[in-house]
Amino acid sequence: MLVNDKYVPRHKMNFVLCHWLNGISFLMLFITALPLFTDQFQFLYTMFGTATLQNAHRFFAVVFIVTPIIGLLIAREGYAKMFNEVFSFGMDDIKFLIRFPMELLGMHPEGVPKQGFYNGGEKMNIALQMGIWCVMVASGLILWMGSGYLDNSVRAWFIPIHSIAAAIGFAAALAHIYLAVVMYPPSLHGMKDGTITAKYAKSHHGKWVDELVDDGEISQGELKKALGK
Ligand code: HEM
């Protein structure tokens, strides 16, 4: 059933909570590590104190590590959906990705296939961020806990691995934030109260909306009313 005759339920609130814990901890990890990337950001150490920033980095690392674990317990459905969607990458996703750059440039290319719960770009973002999570957590734990067990020359290898993963993840996160805030602001509603307008759902996730109608989760009548048809 639509919420207030207008909104399609999309994400459960526990999933929304995990998204923000993941997003905020990732961005804070990046900010607290900036002085390690380049001397230009040494002023952050002067401003907040080196030890404070280093402890904050470890604090947000713990939040970043435990969020998906908590997510699997309290937002199982949302996480399962992400896993399933990533592993169901098909022709419609490829066709979407080929036409997506034109859409970004404000053109409305012909032949964009209806997209499911996540579109081809979102699926790639999920896969990339999952990979980045694994590399950052593994390399970070080795750097954090490894002293005493591992030779310093071995640990040194994990510094560039950790930094490169962080840089790729940050670049992808910037693109993700740009798309959400600038290109598709109606998607943000889903990360606020878990619902998106029927209009946005139909135009961006048409295949998913068709499935909801087929499964009887929303009726054809209420959908038409919400779309003003
Ligand atoms: C303040 C910044 C952020 C905003 C405004 C934002 C916004 C959003 C929105 C609106 C969605 C829902 C998309 C949908 O329902 O189809 C979403 C999903 C998601 N977000 Fe974020 N997000 C932010 C930060 C981050 C960060 C930093 C990460 C990763 C490190 C991240 C990872 C994800 C993932 C993996 C998804 C699921 C699939 C996708 O849409 O790509 N987000 N985000």
Side-chain angles (χ1 to χ4, degrees):
M1 211 168 78
L2 293 185
V3 178
N4 295 335
D5 297 332
K6 188 177 170 191
Y7 297 97
V8 183
R10 183 164 170 81
H11 302 292
K12 295 267 162 61
M13 285 316 283
N14 277 350
F15 184 76
V16 171
L17 171 75
C18 290
H19 171 265
W20 290 120
L21 279 177
N22 177 53
I24 291 166
S25 59
F26 181 86
L27 294 175
M28 289 308 292
L29 278 171
F30 196 79
I31 292 169
T32 52
L34 278 175
L36 299 172
F37 270 108
T38 152
D39 284 348
Q40 307 268 303
F41 290 99
Q42 280 297 325
F43 73 90
L44 287 174
Y45 276 163
T46 319
M47 219 155 125
F48 298 103
T50 307
T52 312
L53 232 59
Q54 285 171 350
N55 288 333
H57 192 75
R58 286 167 190 217
F59 170 78
F60 289 112
V62 174
V63 179
F64 187 69
I65 293 170
V66 299
T67 297
I69 299 166
I70 294 173
L72 286 174
L73 298 173
I74 66 166
R76 190 182 289 268
E77 203 187 313
Y79 274 81
K81 185 126 219 151
M82 282 206 295
F83 280 108
N84 291 337
E85 289 274 309
V86 167
F87 292 107
S88 67
F89 202 88
M91 263 328 274
D92 282 353
D93 298 305
I94 295 170
K95 286 185 193 157
F96 171 88
L97 285 173
I98 292 171
R99 290 162 180 80
F100 187 57
M102 279 156 74
E103 199 176 305
L104 276 185
L105 293 172
M107 299 176 222
H108 298 290
E110 292 284 305
V112 179
K114 281 184 177 181
Q115 294 293 294
F117 190 88
Y118 288 120
N119 65 41
E122 290 176 321
K123 288 180 184 180
M124 285 188 49
N125 184 44
I126 296 169
L128 178 75
Q129 292 298 357
M130 280 179 181
I132 293 288
W133 186 88
C134 294
V135 176
M136 278 183 61
V137 170
S139 56
L141 286 176
I142 288 170
L143 290 171
W144 188 354
M145 315 280 181
S147 61
Y149 301 102
L150 285 173
D151 193 80
N152 275 348
S153 62
V154 177
R155 276 179 73 236
W157 276 99
F158 289 93
I159 296 173
I161 292 174
H162 195 65
S163 308
I164 290 167
I168 296 172
F170 185 67
L174 277 188
H176 169 73
I177 295 166
Y178 172 79
L179 289 174
V181 177
V182 181
M183 297 295 295
Y184 306 111
S187 70
L188 280 174
H189 205 271
M191 280 297 147
K192 221 168 68 193
D193 76 356
T195 67
I196 53 171
T197 60
K199 204 173 154 202
Y200 180 76
K202 181 84 185 154
S203 59
H204 287 81
H205 301 281
K207 207 197 288 179
W208 172 57
V209 172
D210 291 348
E211 282 163 18
L212 291 178
V213 173
D214 289 348
D215 295 347
E217 307 240 356
I218 50 178
S219 74
Q220 211 38 281
E222 58 178 345
L223 184 62
K224 276 192 181 154
K225 198 172 147 210
L227 297 173
K229 286 185 181 167

PDB file of all heavy atoms in Angstrom, residues 140-163:
ATOM      1  N   GLY A 140      43.517  -2.143   7.340  1.00  0.00           N
ATOM      2  CA  GLY A 140      43.489  -1.286   8.535  1.00  0.00           C
ATOM      3  C   GLY A 140      43.767  -2.083   9.796  1.00  0.00           C
ATOM      4  O   GLY A 140      44.543  -1.652  10.652  1.00  0.00           O
ATOM      5  N   LEU A 141      43.160  -3.284   9.894  1.00  0.00           N
ATOM      6  CA  LEU A 141      43.386  -4.101  11.093  1.00  0.00           C
ATOM      7  C   LEU A 141      44.838  -4.568  11.159  1.00  0.00           C
ATOM      8  O   LEU A 141      45.425  -4.644  12.243  1.00  0.00           O
ATOM      9  CB  LEU A 141      42.427  -5.306  11.108  1.00  0.00           C
ATOM     10  CG  LEU A 141      40.966  -4.970  11.455  1.00  0.00           C
ATOM     11  CD1 LEU A 141      40.087  -6.215  11.351  1.00  0.00           C
ATOM     12  CD2 LEU A 141      40.840  -4.361  12.848  1.00  0.00           C
ATOM     13  N   ILE A 142      45.426  -4.854   9.983  1.00  0.00           N
ATOM     14  CA  ILE A 142      46.835  -5.279   9.964  1.00  0.00           C
ATOM     15  C   ILE A 142      47.722  -4.122  10.456  1.00  0.00           C
ATOM     16  O   ILE A 142      48.626  -4.309  11.271  1.00  0.00           O
ATOM     17  CB  ILE A 142      47.249  -5.763   8.553  1.00  0.00           C
ATOM     18  CG1 ILE A 142      46.591  -7.118   8.281  1.00  0.00           C
ATOM     19  CG2 ILE A 142      48.766  -5.854   8.404  1.00  0.00           C
ATOM     20  CD1 ILE A 142      46.698  -7.615   6.857  1.00  0.00           C
ATOM     21  N   LEU A 143      47.399  -2.887   9.985  1.00  0.00           N
ATOM     22  CA  LEU A 143      48.205  -1.730  10.412  1.00  0.00           C
ATOM     23  C   LEU A 143      48.016  -1.456  11.901  1.00  0.00           C
ATOM     24  O   LEU A 143      48.953  -1.086  12.612  1.00  0.00           O
ATOM     25  CB  LEU A 143      47.816  -0.489   9.598  1.00  0.00           C
ATOM     26  CG  LEU A 143      48.224  -0.499   8.125  1.00  0.00           C
ATOM     27  CD1 LEU A 143      47.596   0.657   7.377  1.00  0.00           C
ATOM     28  CD2 LEU A 143      49.749  -0.466   7.997  1.00  0.00           C
ATOM     29  N   TRP A 144      46.787  -1.632  12.376  1.00  0.00           N
ATOM     30  CA  TRP A 144      46.453  -1.314  13.768  1.00  0.00           C
ATOM     31  C   TRP A 144      47.017  -2.371  14.727  1.00  0.00           C
ATOM     32  O   TRP A 144      47.683  -2.071  15.704  1.00  0.00           O
ATOM     33  CB  TRP A 144      44.924  -1.232  13.891  1.00  0.00           C
ATOM     34  CG  TRP A 144      44.406  -0.716  15.213  1.00  0.00           C
ATOM     35  CD1 TRP A 144      45.152  -0.438  16.333  1.00  0.00           C
ATOM     36  CD2 TRP A 144      43.047  -0.430  15.570  1.00  0.00           C
ATOM     37  NE1 TRP A 144      44.343  -0.002  17.350  1.00  0.00           N
ATOM     38  CE2 TRP A 144      43.040   0.017  16.912  1.00  0.00           C
ATOM     39  CE3 TRP A 144      41.834  -0.508  14.899  1.00  0.00           C
ATOM     40  CZ2 TRP A 144      41.863   0.386  17.583  1.00  0.00           C
ATOM     41  CZ3 TRP A 144      40.670  -0.141  15.563  1.00  0.00           C
ATOM     42  CH2 TRP A 144      40.692   0.305  16.890  1.00  0.00           C
ATOM     43  N   MET A 145      46.720  -3.654  14.404  1.00  0.00           N
ATOM     44  CA  MET A 145      47.046  -4.738  15.347  1.00  0.00           C
ATOM     45  C   MET A 145      48.376  -5.425  15.025  1.00  0.00           C
ATOM     46  O   MET A 145      48.888  -6.187  15.843  1.00  0.00           O
ATOM     47  CB  MET A 145      45.963  -5.841  15.301  1.00  0.00           C
ATOM     48  CG  MET A 145      44.547  -5.335  15.300  1.00  0.00           C
ATOM     49  SD  MET A 145      44.067  -4.901  16.968  1.00  0.00           S
ATOM     50  CE  MET A 145      42.389  -4.362  16.732  1.00  0.00           C
ATOM     51  N   GLY A 146      48.865  -5.188  13.799  1.00  0.00           N
ATOM     52  CA  GLY A 146      49.991  -5.999  13.301  1.00  0.00           C
ATOM     53  C   GLY A 146      51.326  -5.774  13.988  1.00  0.00           C
ATOM     54  O   GLY A 146      52.187  -6.647  13.955  1.00  0.00           O
ATOM     55  N   SER A 147      51.503  -4.596  14.643  1.00  0.00           N
ATOM     56  CA  SER A 147      52.834  -4.333  15.203  1.00  0.00           C
ATOM     57  C   SER A 147      53.111  -5.343  16.316  1.00  0.00           C
ATOM     58  O   SER A 147      52.257  -5.613  17.152  1.00  0.00           O
ATOM     59  CB  SER A 147      52.921  -2.898  15.735  1.00  0.00           C
ATOM     60  OG  SER A 147      51.988  -2.729  16.736  1.00  0.00           O
ATOM     61  N   GLY A 148      54.308  -5.891  16.315  1.00  0.00           N
ATOM     62  CA  GLY A 148      54.629  -6.921  17.303  1.00  0.00           C
ATOM     63  C   GLY A 148      54.513  -8.307  16.683  1.00  0.00           C
ATOM     64  O   GLY A 148      55.251  -9.221  17.031  1.00  0.00           O
ATOM     65  N   TYR A 149      53.541  -8.475  15.763  1.00  0.00           N
ATOM     66  CA  TYR A 149      53.368  -9.783  15.111  1.00  0.00           C
ATOM     67  C   TYR A 149      54.039  -9.801  13.745  1.00  0.00           C
ATOM     68  O   TYR A 149      54.628 -10.778  13.336  1.00  0.00           O
ATOM     69  CB  TYR A 149      51.877 -10.100  14.893  1.00  0.00           C
ATOM     70  CG  TYR A 149      51.077 -10.132  16.158  1.00  0.00           C
ATOM     71  CD1 TYR A 149      50.269  -9.057  16.518  1.00  0.00           C
ATOM     72  CD2 TYR A 149      51.136 -11.245  17.010  1.00  0.00           C
ATOM     73  CE1 TYR A 149      49.540  -9.080  17.696  1.00  0.00           C
ATOM     74  CE2 TYR A 149      50.404 -11.271  18.183  1.00  0.00           C
ATOM     75  CZ  TYR A 149      49.603 -10.189  18.521  1.00  0.00           C
ATOM     76  OH  TYR A 149      48.891 -10.211  19.681  1.00  0.00           O
ATOM     77  N   LEU A 150      53.884  -8.654  13.038  1.00  0.00           N
ATOM     78  CA  LEU A 150      54.384  -8.613  11.669  1.00  0.00           C
ATOM     79  C   LEU A 150      55.621  -7.732  11.578  1.00  0.00           C
ATOM     80  O   LEU A 150      55.722  -6.721  12.298  1.00  0.00           O
ATOM     81  CB  LEU A 150      53.319  -8.033  10.726  1.00  0.00           C
ATOM     82  CG  LEU A 150      52.145  -8.941  10.356  1.00  0.00           C
ATOM     83  CD1 LEU A 150      51.128  -8.149   9.562  1.00  0.00           C
ATOM     84  CD2 LEU A 150      52.643 -10.123   9.529  1.00  0.00           C
ATOM     85  N   ASP A 151      56.514  -8.104  10.692  1.00  0.00           N
ATOM     86  CA  ASP A 151      57.700  -7.301  10.460  1.00  0.00           C
ATOM     87  C   ASP A 151      57.285  -5.946   9.869  1.00  0.00           C
ATOM     88  O   ASP A 151      56.338  -5.883   9.077  1.00  0.00           O
ATOM     89  CB  ASP A 151      58.595  -8.049   9.456  1.00  0.00           C
ATOM     90  CG  ASP A 151      59.968  -7.434   9.415  1.00  0.00           C
ATOM     91  OD1 ASP A 151      60.753  -7.751  10.316  1.00  0.00           O
ATOM     92  OD2 ASP A 151      60.213  -6.625   8.481  1.00  0.00           O
ATOM     93  N   ASN A 152      57.961  -4.869  10.280  1.00  0.00           N
ATOM     94  CA  ASN A 152      57.576  -3.537   9.792  1.00  0.00           C
ATOM     95  C   ASN A 152      57.653  -3.414   8.278  1.00  0.00           C
ATOM     96  O   ASN A 152      56.865  -2.689   7.673  1.00  0.00           O
ATOM     97  CB  ASN A 152      58.454  -2.462  10.439  1.00  0.00           C
ATOM     98  CG  ASN A 152      57.868  -2.065  11.784  1.00  0.00           C
ATOM     99  OD1 ASN A 152      56.733  -2.429  12.086  1.00  0.00           O
ATOM    100  ND2 ASN A 152      58.646  -1.350  12.578  1.00  0.00           N
ATOM    101  N   SER A 153      58.598  -4.152   7.658  1.00  0.00           N
ATOM    102  CA  SER A 153      58.717  -4.066   6.204  1.00  0.00           C
ATOM    103  C   SER A 153      57.487  -4.689   5.530  1.00  0.00           C
ATOM    104  O   SER A 153      57.083  -4.285   4.447  1.00  0.00           O
ATOM    105  CB  SER A 153      59.995  -4.760   5.727  1.00  0.00           C
ATOM    106  OG  SER A 153      59.934  -6.118   6.068  1.00  0.00           O
ATOM    107  N   VAL A 154      56.866  -5.673   6.211  1.00  0.00           N
ATOM    108  CA  VAL A 154      55.643  -6.288   5.661  1.00  0.00           C
ATOM    109  C   VAL A 154      54.471  -5.340   5.884  1.00  0.00           C
ATOM    110  O   VAL A 154      53.661  -5.084   4.984  1.00  0.00           O
ATOM    111  CB  VAL A 154      55.376  -7.665   6.337  1.00  0.00           C
ATOM    112  CG1 VAL A 154      54.066  -8.268   5.824  1.00  0.00           C
ATOM    113  CG2 VAL A 154      56.533  -8.611   6.096  1.00  0.00           C
ATOM    114  N   ARG A 155      54.387  -4.790   7.104  1.00  0.00           N
ATOM    115  CA  ARG A 155      53.291  -3.854   7.417  1.00  0.00           C
ATOM    116  C   ARG A 155      53.306  -2.659   6.474  1.00  0.00           C
ATOM    117  O   ARG A 155      52.256  -2.133   6.094  1.00  0.00           O
ATOM    118  CB  ARG A 155      53.395  -3.374   8.870  1.00  0.00           C
ATOM    119  CG  ARG A 155      52.755  -4.351   9.850  1.00  0.00           C
ATOM    120  CD  ARG A 155      52.895  -3.870  11.273  1.00  0.00           C
ATOM    121  NE  ARG A 155      52.041  -2.742  11.590  1.00  0.00           N
ATOM    122  CZ  ARG A 155      52.460  -1.590  12.070  1.00  0.00           C
ATOM    123  NH1 ARG A 155      53.733  -1.374  12.281  1.00  0.00           N
ATOM    124  NH2 ARG A 155      51.611  -0.636  12.348  1.00  0.00           N
ATOM    125  N   ALA A 156      54.513  -2.228   6.091  1.00  0.00           N
ATOM    126  CA  ALA A 156      54.640  -1.034   5.232  1.00  0.00           C
ATOM    127  C   ALA A 156      53.885  -1.219   3.907  1.00  0.00           C
ATOM    128  O   ALA A 156      53.397  -0.246   3.336  1.00  0.00           O
ATOM    129  CB  ALA A 156      56.116  -0.752   4.967  1.00  0.00           C
ATOM    130  N   TRP A 157      53.781  -2.467   3.451  1.00  0.00           N
ATOM    131  CA  TRP A 157      53.053  -2.724   2.203  1.00  0.00           C
ATOM    132  C   TRP A 157      51.573  -2.349   2.312  1.00  0.00           C
ATOM    133  O   TRP A 157      50.926  -2.028   1.325  1.00  0.00           O
ATOM    134  CB  TRP A 157      53.141  -4.216   1.836  1.00  0.00           C
ATOM    135  CG  TRP A 157      54.404  -4.530   1.102  1.00  0.00           C
ATOM    136  CD1 TRP A 157      55.544  -5.060   1.629  1.00  0.00           C
ATOM    137  CD2 TRP A 157      54.657  -4.307  -0.280  1.00  0.00           C
ATOM    138  NE1 TRP A 157      56.491  -5.190   0.661  1.00  0.00           N
ATOM    139  CE2 TRP A 157      55.979  -4.740  -0.531  1.00  0.00           C
ATOM    140  CE3 TRP A 157      53.912  -3.788  -1.338  1.00  0.00           C
ATOM    141  CZ2 TRP A 157      56.563  -4.660  -1.788  1.00  0.00           C
ATOM    142  CZ3 TRP A 157      54.483  -3.708  -2.597  1.00  0.00           C
ATOM    143  CH2 TRP A 157      55.795  -4.136  -2.796  1.00  0.00           C
ATOM    144  N   PHE A 158      51.052  -2.453   3.532  1.00  0.00           N
ATOM    145  CA  PHE A 158      49.613  -2.238   3.690  1.00  0.00           C
ATOM    146  C   PHE A 158      49.240  -0.753   3.757  1.00  0.00           C
ATOM    147  O   PHE A 158      48.067  -0.413   3.670  1.00  0.00           O
ATOM    148  CB  PHE A 158      49.092  -3.019   4.915  1.00  0.00           C
ATOM    149  CG  PHE A 158      49.104  -4.494   4.637  1.00  0.00           C
ATOM    150  CD1 PHE A 158      50.200  -5.279   4.993  1.00  0.00           C
ATOM    151  CD2 PHE A 158      48.055  -5.079   3.948  1.00  0.00           C
ATOM    152  CE1 PHE A 158      50.231  -6.630   4.684  1.00  0.00           C
ATOM    153  CE2 PHE A 158      48.081  -6.429   3.635  1.00  0.00           C
ATOM    154  CZ  PHE A 158      49.168  -7.208   4.008  1.00  0.00           C
ATOM    155  N   ILE A 159      50.249   0.122   3.901  1.00  0.00           N
ATOM    156  CA  ILE A 159      49.939   1.566   3.931  1.00  0.00           C
ATOM    157  C   ILE A 159      49.420   2.030   2.567  1.00  0.00           C
ATOM    158  O   ILE A 159      48.327   2.592   2.490  1.00  0.00           O
ATOM    159  CB  ILE A 159      51.162   2.385   4.417  1.00  0.00           C
ATOM    160  CG1 ILE A 159      51.476   2.005   5.869  1.00  0.00           C
ATOM    161  CG2 ILE A 159      50.883   3.889   4.299  1.00  0.00           C
ATOM    162  CD1 ILE A 159      52.747   2.601   6.420  1.00  0.00           C
ATOM    163  N   PRO A 160      50.171   1.782   1.447  1.00  0.00           N
ATOM    164  CA  PRO A 160      49.608   2.202   0.154  1.00  0.00           C
ATOM    165  C   PRO A 160      48.314   1.465  -0.198  1.00  0.00           C
ATOM    166  O   PRO A 160      47.412   2.063  -0.783  1.00  0.00           O
ATOM    167  CB  PRO A 160      50.725   1.876  -0.851  1.00  0.00           C
ATOM    168  CG  PRO A 160      51.671   0.977  -0.150  1.00  0.00           C
ATOM    169  CD  PRO A 160      51.549   1.269   1.315  1.00  0.00           C
ATOM    170  N   ILE A 161      48.215   0.184   0.196  1.00  0.00           N
ATOM    171  CA  ILE A 161      46.980  -0.565  -0.125  1.00  0.00           C
ATOM    172  C   ILE A 161      45.784   0.115   0.561  1.00  0.00           C
ATOM    173  O   ILE A 161      44.743   0.378  -0.045  1.00  0.00           O
ATOM    174  CB  ILE A 161      47.111  -2.051   0.332  1.00  0.00           C
ATOM    175  CG1 ILE A 161      48.169  -2.758  -0.525  1.00  0.00           C
ATOM    176  CG2 ILE A 161      45.766  -2.780   0.251  1.00  0.00           C
ATOM    177  CD1 ILE A 161      48.502  -4.179  -0.104  1.00  0.00           C
ATOM    178  N   HIS A 162      45.972   0.435   1.860  1.00  0.00           N
ATOM    179  CA  HIS A 162      44.914   1.081   2.646  1.00  0.00           C
ATOM    180  C   HIS A 162      44.572   2.451   2.045  1.00  0.00           C
ATOM    181  O   HIS A 162      43.400   2.783   1.875  1.00  0.00           O
ATOM    182  CB  HIS A 162      45.436   1.243   4.086  1.00  0.00           C
ATOM    183  CG  HIS A 162      44.379   1.550   5.108  1.00  0.00           C
ATOM    184  ND1 HIS A 162      43.364   0.674   5.432  1.00  0.00           N
ATOM    185  CD2 HIS A 162      44.184   2.650   5.890  1.00  0.00           C
ATOM    186  CE1 HIS A 162      42.601   1.208   6.367  1.00  0.00           C
ATOM    187  NE2 HIS A 162      43.072   2.418   6.661  1.00  0.00           N
ATOM    188  N   SER A 163      45.598   3.211   1.685  1.00  0.00           N
ATOM    189  CA  SER A 163      45.380   4.581   1.174  1.00  0.00           C
ATOM    190  C   SER A 163      44.708   4.573  -0.194  1.00  0.00           C
ATOM    191  O   SER A 163      43.813   5.379  -0.448  1.00  0.00           O
ATOM    192  CB  SER A 163      46.712   5.331   1.047  1.00  0.00           C
ATOM    193  OG  SER A 163      47.407   5.251   2.245  1.00  0.00           O
TER     194      SER A 163
END
